Each structure stands twice: as C-alpha cells, then as structure tokens.
Amino acid sequence: MKKTVVLYPGVAVTHFVPMMQLIDALLEEGYAVVVAIIDITHSKNLAFAAAVDRVAASKPSVTFHALPRIQDPPVVTTDARFLIGYFELVRRYNDHLGEFLRSMPPRSVHAVIVDSMSHVALDVAKELGIPTYTFVSCSASALAVSLQLPFIRKEGQVCLKELGDSPLDFFGVPPVPASHQFGEMYEDPKSELYQVFVNSFRKILEANGMLVNTFDSLEARALGALKDPMFLPGGESTVPPVYSVGPLVEKGGDETTKEKHECLAWLDKQPEHSVVFLCFGSFAFHTEDQLKEIAVGLEKSGHRFLWVVRAPPRGDTFAVHGDPDLDTLLPEGFLDRTNGRGLVVKQWAPQVDVLCHKAVGAFVTHCGWNSVQEGIIGGVPMLCWPLYAEQKMNKVFMVEEFGVGVEVVGWQQGLVKAEEVETKVRLVLESEEGERLRARVTSLKEALATAWNEGGSSHAAIRQFLLDAADVGMAKGRA
C-alpha cells in the first residue's frame, strides 16, 4: 500500500491554490495524496468552491474528501475580528478531521500538511501520532518578521502605532517600518485579537516542520535566519525544520484545450515588453476616485495597458463581486480615447498567462505573495502598491531585498495620484533603472526555473521533507 500524504488546506483561495501545487511533486515521489476539505461551499465561498472543483477535475488520481458540515458555523466577518471567526471555524471542524484520519488504514498516513491559518488543527494529527507539518503560503521574509514580532513587543517596545514609519530591525530581512506590520499587532496586547494573532504564530512552531512557498535563491537571507538555532531570542522557542518548496503557483492555461481569453489575443498584437498590466488580487478593490486617478495616469503615460477592474464587494468576505460599471467608474471618454492602446477587463484575467506573455513589460501589483512569484516567473518588473495584510512588508522585500520592483508612492495616504502612476509606468518602461529591474527579475526567473529540476533546491527540499517525516514517524512508532 502506498503511503499517503494528507493535505488540509484553508478555505481562502490564495492559500488553497499554492498548497495544491504540492500534489504533483508528491505523486512523482510515489505517494498517494488525499485532500481533506472544510465544506463551507454551501454558503458564500463560491470562489473557493470553484477552485476545489477545478483542481479536483485536473487531478483524478487524488481523493478529495469533504468533511461533514458543522451545525451553526461561526460567522466569519470582514472586519478586524476576521481571524477570530476564521480560527473558530477551523477549530469547530477538528472533531471531523480527527474522525477522518482515524478512518484511514492504520499507519498509512505518512504526514499531514496543515495550512498555516488552520494551525488549530495541528493537535488533531499530533494526538494520533502522525507527523504534522504546516504549509506557509507567505514569503519566508514575512514569516521571519512575524515570528519575531511577539518578542519585540515582549521586550518592552512601545505600541507600534506610536512608532509610525520608524524602521524595526529584524534578523534575516531589511529594516521594516512599524507602519508596515500586520494590523493586528497595533492592538492592545491584552486584547483578544492581539492574543489570537500572536498565538497563531507560536502555534505553528509546534509542527514537525514548515513547508514555505519560496525558493532558495530568492530568499536565501531569510531562510538562513529561520534555520539559525539562535533565530528566536531567549531560547523559549525554536523554529522547526524549514523546507523551501516554491514557487508553487497555479499553472497557466493550455491553449490547445480551451479557448484563449480575449486579453491574450489582444496581447498577441502588442509589441514586446510594451504593456503595463494592472491587477490587484482576488479581494482588492479601489474607490471610484482612485480608479479615475489610475485611468488618468495611464492615459497620460502614453503606454499600452491591460487593466483588471473590480467593483467593491458587497460587505461579505466571500461574496461575488458585481460587474463594475466602467462608464461610471472611469473618466468620461477614457475607454474611447485609449481604444486600441489599452484594454480594460472586468473582474478577472488569467494572470499567469498574462505575465508570461512577451508583450507585458511591467506589472502593477498589490504585492500578494502569489502575484510576486508569478511576476518573477514571467520575468516582469513590478510596481509595488500594497493594500493589506503582509503585502506592505512584501513591498519592502521586493524593493530593498529582491530588487524586482519600485514603490508606488501614495498608497499609505489612501490615494495614489495620476502623476505618480504616470511617472512610475514611464520609469519602468522607459528608463535605465527600469532596465536594471528587468535584468534582476530575469536573473531570478532563470534561477527559479531550476529550483524544481532534478537536484534543484525545491526538488531536494520536498524529498528531504518526506525523509524527515519518515524519521518522525519511526520515532512515534509508526514505521
């Protein structure tokens, strides 16, 4: 009987999709894969449901098991208390996860990999004596900062809010302004939200290891720090083994099996490296005023553009966005004046395919980690416009550490002016600095291409994880 690796993803698409990219590597190593799913698709998480269906259809040899639905699930709000509701939702499924793992043939489970945001499920597998690992979908650099932050507060630093843009020094990464940290760290240390947030990072340290969605040549400094025995001060906690198994991003479409998206056909007609692509993630949106500023900046830049525009959400984390009314949201006559030079797409575009297209020369991004790696895969320099969560930290790493992007000034004030959009688009597409950015991201693209080759760093990391899991299993008497 094949040994089985059980994947337990979170219910956020941005966490689910990269974890699913582990499947092919595990299958190639001769393991069976089972994906246990929290079944909330009956409610409003339609994007997650679609992602599950898409992956399941593409991997017929993999078993997808929906855990039984719980009664009266907790409400997951979109406000500051989102994490409290989310963690409680996962906790409520722990009994069902345990029942499922116990139903599998004895000693058949080689390891369980739990999404980092589902950390409250770690104890379920550990109590059954199963080697248990966390999957970290963010950058190694953001992980390094997050693990050190509680110790900074513990050492008596004043409230982060009071520090403003003052830089904070962390082991393994460049200085990060206090204003760029997770919003939860601005809360009163005695508050429930603060405690829940800090404890979530402490909890993942209890895993047998962490699989991080990155690759060695991109984040050598942060990965080296995480593996240093003296990484965390005081000796109270140690970091479990870290395996850099990225980049794990959803593969582009196969043009031979499905119709090409309209934007790809449009890109085919554009000169090489001539188009700036603007896309701000699954849940990002801008005000009408900001959309108009972007439009004016793009028009004045004189450059070709492909822009994904979304309407604001309907007040629910998992609600489907309505189609944006472009005539209302964009300046009068904008679409007519830029017809042929620009293309505005509603809601969604095949981002991986777009970024890998030879016509794309710049990427305006919200700095979500999946998008950052997709930009590198495409060899495209980036204009960094962070919006929430760890994206503000990623901006620092992209500009100061990786050298793949420039900051779009004004995001902190809540409105990026048209002049800034125009200036930064011109900088990347016209200047020597833009050429330097392109050279740097191209070199990383080439390094990334070898990470999953036989003997490459990520290929070696997944094999090491499987070997280490076997050793952990033997120590637990599961051989």
Side-chain angles (χ1 to χ4, degrees):
M1 177 184 296
K2 283 186 177 181
K3 283 285 192 176
T4 299
V5 176
V6 176
L7 304 182
Y8 191 47
V11 298
V13 174
T14 53
H15 286 231
F16 173 80
V17 169
M19 180 187 273
M20 293 302 98
Q21 306 313 305
L22 284 170
I23 291 175
D24 290 342
L26 295 170
L27 294 177
E28 288 175 6
E29 294 300 320
Y31 289 78
V33 178
V34 173
V35 183
I37 299 290
I38 289 179
D39 187 8
I40 62 169
T41 57
H42 64 291
S43 57
K44 299 176 182 178
N45 197 347
L46 300 181
F48 178 70
V52 172
D53 290 344
R54 185 173 66 250
V55 175
S58 68
K59 302 184 186 301
S61 64
V62 175
T63 299
F64 283 76
H65 176 82
L67 300 178
R69 297 171 184 169
I70 60 174
Q71 297 295 317
D72 301 318
V75 176
V76 181
T77 63
T78 59
D79 58 17
R81 294 179 63 82
F82 165 77
L83 288 180
I84 294 175
Y86 188 96
F87 293 160
E88 176 62 15
L89 174 72
V90 177
R91 187 193 67 77
R92 292 274 301 279
Y93 273 90
N94 277 355
D95 287 344
H96 290 318
L97 176 63
E99 291 168 0
F100 172 63
L101 292 175
R102 283 190 291 271
S103 73
M104 300 183 72
R107 303 181 186 274
S108 66
V109 181
H110 187 75
V112 174
I113 303 175
V114 175
D115 180 68
S116 60
M117 283 190 66
S118 301
H119 58 85
V120 293
L122 286 172
D123 289 341
V124 176
K126 290 175 67 177
E127 287 171 2
L128 295 174
I130 302 174
T132 309
Y133 295 78
T134 52
F135 177 75
V136 181
S137 58
C138 70
S139 65
S141 300
L143 174 65
V145 170
S146 301
L147 292 176
Q148 293 176 76
L149 266 173
F151 294 92
I152 287 181
R153 289 295 293 266
K154 188 175 180 179
E155 291 170 4
Q157 282 276 6
V158 297
C159 177
L160 292 182
K161 278 185 177 180
E162 298 176 21
L163 294 176
D165 290 333
S166 300
L168 300 177
D169 292 323
F170 297 97
F171 183 26
V173 300
V176 180
S179 60
H180 288 33
Q181 305 303 323
F182 287 101
E184 289 82 359
M185 291 302 297
Y186 301 141
E187 300 291 325
D188 184 334
K190 297 179 181 179
S191 69
E192 180 186 15
L193 180 56
Y194 180 91
Q195 291 296 325
V196 163
F197 183 75
V198 169
N199 289 338
S200 69
F201 286 104
R202 289 175 176 158
K203 188 65 179 178
I204 66 174
L205 294 175
E206 298 177 12
N208 295 118
M210 296 187 289
L211 284 73
V212 185
N213 185 16
T214 191
F215 59 103
D216 284 2
S217 53
L218 177 64
E219 295 194 272
R221 182 180 174 191
L223 289 166
L226 287 166
K227 295 173 183 179
D228 190 309
M230 303 302 293
F231 173 69
L232 294 177
E236 297 180 20
S237 302
T238 58
V239 178
V242 174
Y243 309 91
S244 49
V245 295
L248 298 168
V249 300
E250 193 165 21
K251 295 177 175 62
D254 183 351
E255 296 178 12
T256 64
T257 59
K258 66 179 183 179
E259 186 177 350
K260 179 183 289 189
H261 191 279
E262 62 167 326
C263 70
L264 298 176
W266 181 82
L267 285 171
D268 288 343
K269 301 174 184 177
Q270 312 308 317
E272 187 171 344
H273 297 162
S274 66
V275 176
V276 56
F277 174 53
L278 302 91
C279 188
F280 295 91
S282 303
F283 296 111
F285 65 93
H286 291 299
T287 63
E288 185 174 338
D289 286 344
Q290 183 61 85
L291 290 172
K292 284 182 166 58
E293 291 289 334
I294 294 172
V296 172
L298 290 174
E299 185 172 0
K300 287 186 174 180
S301 76
H303 284 284
R304 294 172 172 82
F305 63 86
L306 171 60
W307 182 14
V308 179
V309 174
R310 293 187 174 91
R314 298 170 183 169
D316 190 292
T317 304
F318 302 125
V320 177
H321 298 216
D323 268 350
D325 182 350
L326 299 181
D327 290 331
T328 299
L329 295 172
L330 304 180
E332 184 177 356
F334 170 77
L335 294 175
D336 291 334
R337 291 192 300 273
T338 59
N339 185 35
R341 176 164 66 85
L343 179 64
V344 177
V345 178
K346 295 181 180 181
Q347 302 290 12
W348 179 86
Q351 183 163 291
V352 174
D353 291 330
V354 169
L355 290 169
C356 289
H357 198 288
K358 63 181 181 180
V360 176
F363 178 26
V364 183
T365 175
H366 65 310
C367 305
W369 189 238
N370 292 336
S371 291
V372 173
Q373 295 201 97
E374 289 165 6
I376 294 172
I377 288 172
V380 181
M382 288 168 262
L383 285 74
C384 305
W385 187 332
L387 296 172
Y388 54 86
E390 86 280 7
Q391 296 165 10
K392 295 174 282 186
M393 289 190 281
N394 286 343
K395 182 267 299 180
V396 175
F397 310 141
M398 293 166 71
V399 175
E400 304 294 337
E401 185 81 351
F402 312 152
V404 298
V406 293
E407 180 179 8
V408 178
V409 177
W411 63 269
Q412 275 188 284
Q413 291 70 43
L415 186 70
V416 174
K417 295 291 189 179
E419 293 79 6
E420 174 67 3
V421 174
E422 176 188 1
T423 297
K424 290 301 165 60
V425 168
R426 288 181 177 275
L427 182 147
V428 173
L429 292 180
E430 298 176 8
S431 73
E432 290 184 5
E433 183 176 351
E435 287 300 316
R436 287 193 293 271
L437 288 172
R438 185 176 306 283
R440 171 58 179 163
V441 75
T442 298
S443 69
L444 286 172
K445 173 185 177 179
E446 294 168 352
L448 177 155
T450 66
W452 271 110
N453 290 344
E454 180 71 32
S457 61
S458 298
H459 189 266
I462 200 75
R463 286 187 169 177
Q464 189 62 54
F465 148 68
L466 292 167
L467 289 171
D468 290 350
D471 290 342
V472 172
M474 291 183 65
K476 294 177 181 289
R478 293 180 57 84

